[in-house]
Amino acid sequence: MSTLVILIPLAIVIVMFAVANREIIAVSFDPFNSANPAFALRMPLFFLIFALVGLGVLIGGIAAWLRQHKWRARARRAEADIRRLRMELETQRSLAPAPPPKDAPPPLIVPPAA
């Protein structure tokens, strides 16, 4: 429900933006001849803006993922250490003598002979 409260107004704003910016523009990739470019695309302005925003989100996501690499590597090493230590603890527990039952009498302590 809370997602719809955010997405419906956002969708309305996006549609309004697209309708307001639907004029066809020429996007030229020829910096030397703007009057007769060698390669140009004709598209609605809103399409160009949405494509550039999407490209920016993609590049930003990749940059964030690359920056977080060292933290993911540390987390993997910590998880491997935890698994190793748990296995070592289980091994030590299996080798240790069993504790005496709670209702057993206390052990007799014999003083050393002098």
Side-chain angles (χ1 to χ4, degrees):
M1 179 65 184
S2 63
T3 305
L4 291 177
V5 171
I6 294 172
L7 289 181
I8 289 176
L10 183 62
I12 291 171
V13 169
I14 289 172
V15 169
M16 288 172 45
F17 178 81
V19 169
N21 294 290
R22 64 182 182 266
E23 56 271 351
I24 302 296
I25 61 166
V27 179
S28 171
F29 294 98
D30 188 357
F32 303 111
N33 189 359
S34 60
N36 189 14
F39 182 68
L41 294 174
R42 295 182 52 79
M43 66 180 70
L45 178 60
F46 73 88
F47 183 77
L48 175 66
I49 292 172
F50 289 160
L52 291 176
V53 167
L55 183 64
V57 168
L58 181 67
I59 290 172
I62 291 171
W65 184 76
L66 290 173
R67 274 195 315 265
Q68 295 169 357
H69 171 72
K70 69 177 181 178
W71 302 113
R72 288 191 309 274
R74 283 184 181 181
R76 279 193 301 272
R77 281 194 302 270
E79 287 174 358
D81 286 345
I82 289 170
R83 278 193 300 273
R84 182 183 54 80
L85 290 171
R86 282 186 179 157
M87 288 176 57
E88 186 176 324
L89 178 62
E90 289 301 317
T91 303
Q92 292 298 323
R93 282 183 180 167
S94 67
L95 296 177
K102 292 187 179 187
D103 58 349
L108 294 175
I109 299 176
V110 179

